[in-house]
Amino acid sequence: MRILFVAIGIYPKKIIAVFIDLHMIEDDIRKVKETMKGYNTLYLMDQKIIRPQMEGVPINFEKYRTKMVKTDQDTAILTVNYDTSPGPSAEPARGFAKLAQSLAGLLNFKIGDNGGNFYYSVTDGNLLSNTHIFKIMNGREENEIYSAKHRMMALAKESLEVMDLNGAILLKTEYRGYRKLIEVMDQDGNLAANLYAPIISLRDRWKLEFVGDTDRLLGLIMAAIISEMGNR
């Protein structure tokens, strides 16, 4: 405790600045959540697939692919940006382990506005597992806010749960991979959202219908996870 007080005495301005910065991030998330309550229907879809170039040199398309979030008035309000960069490794991997390492991050994405401000960063480090534990952090990946668990079950059945930091389930669903309509329930077992998934489409397009005060951003995260799990 004494060391903590000494540290605060030495770096008071820096600590206060970090506290204010985190508070501003939380305030931004709160504001966008309130705004999102005005949208009962949203669409999650791929942007037009164009392989990006930089001075004539091809860029890794997977790393820069983006999904759009649109309202029923066809207005783009959010983006879902995927980053497939593997995280740093403690030691070089070989063979199958090297392949797994290179694939680490395929299910990572960030949700933000069209101006490049990110609200949530979602990461998963268990690509080759039947159970995926996702961390849902703020956009700068400074602190974890929620978590999500996706499980592959028997008979093509899958489940997805979004939980708070205490492990309490906020949103949950069980579905079959080929199903068109996916119902999302809240912690009391009431319908929170309907996710309409495309079966066959040249462009991944989801329709999200929300009920009541359901957190639209968490519902969007669920749709993005289910979409990516289906693509893998």
Side-chain angles (χ1 to χ4, degrees):
M1 185 65 69
R2 183 178 180 182
I3 295 175
L4 176 61
F5 288 142
V6 171
I8 293 176
I10 297 174
Y11 302 108
K13 292 182 179 179
K14 185 174 181 180
I15 292 175
I16 291 173
V18 170
F19 176 79
I20 293 175
D21 197 31
L22 288 174
H23 179 73
M24 290 177 64
I25 293 172
E26 292 174 356
D27 193 48
D28 288 342
I29 294 176
R30 181 186 60 79
K31 287 179 180 178
V32 74
K33 282 186 175 183
E34 288 298 318
T35 300
M36 294 289 286
K37 286 182 180 179
Y39 302 111
N40 292 326
T41 302
L42 293 174
Y43 296 89
L44 173 66
M45 65 186 74
D46 291 329
Q47 286 187 339
K48 185 177 180 180
I49 299 176
I50 299 179
R51 188 176 183 85
Q53 302 276 331
M54 183 171 61
E55 297 181 359
V57 179
I59 302 174
N60 184 349
F61 172 71
E62 285 286 317
K63 179 177 174 63
Y64 294 95
R65 63 197 177 88
T66 302
K67 281 181 166 55
M68 297 178 294
V69 181
K70 288 189 172 185
T71 68
D72 52 4
Q73 301 298 317
D74 202 37
T75 301
I77 58 172
L78 294 172
T79 60
V80 181
N81 295 282
Y82 293 85
D83 180 4
T84 63
S85 302
S89 175
E91 58 184 30
R94 297 181 179 179
F96 187 75
K98 185 176 182 180
L99 174 62
Q101 185 185 98
S102 67
L103 293 177
L106 276 174
L107 299 175
N108 295 353
F109 58 89
K110 290 187 176 184
I111 293 179
D113 60 23
N114 296 321
N117 300 306
F118 295 112
Y119 303 116
Y120 285 131
S121 178
V122 182
T123 61
D124 167 51
N126 303 304
L127 184 66
L128 301 180
S129 172
N130 285 332
T131 299
H132 295 256
I133 306 297
F134 294 85
K135 289 183 178 180
I136 303 175
M137 299 173 283
N138 64 18
R140 298 183 184 180
E141 301 185 14
E142 293 164 327
N143 61 309
E144 186 175 354
I145 305 175
Y146 304 103
S147 66
K149 179 189 293 186
H150 181 279
R151 290 186 298 154
M152 304 292 292
M153 305 163 71
L155 301 176
K157 197 171 185 179
E158 303 177 35
S159 70
L160 178 61
E161 299 171 339
V162 176
M163 299 160 284
D164 63 18
L165 294 182
N166 294 319
I169 297 175
L170 304 177
L171 295 173
K172 59 184 178 181
T173 184
E174 287 189 0
Y175 63 97
R176 298 193 187 279
Y178 52 80
R179 193 168 180 184
K180 181 72 173 178
L181 170 62
I182 299 174
E183 294 181 333
V184 176
M185 305 297 176
D186 64 16
Q187 55 191 342
D188 298 319
N190 299 316
L191 180 66
N194 286 320
L195 311 180
Y196 295 90
I199 296 178
I200 299 176
S201 175
L202 294 177
R203 197 175 191 182
D204 195 15
R205 179 185 174 95
W206 290 66
K207 180 180 180 181
L208 289 64
E209 292 181 344
F210 296 97
V211 178
D213 291 334
T214 300
D215 190 326
R216 273 64 167 154
L217 288 177
L218 291 184
L220 176 61
I221 286 174
M222 292 183 77
I225 289 175
I226 294 171
S227 174
E228 288 303 292
M229 294 303 301
N231 290 336
R232 303 299 169 187

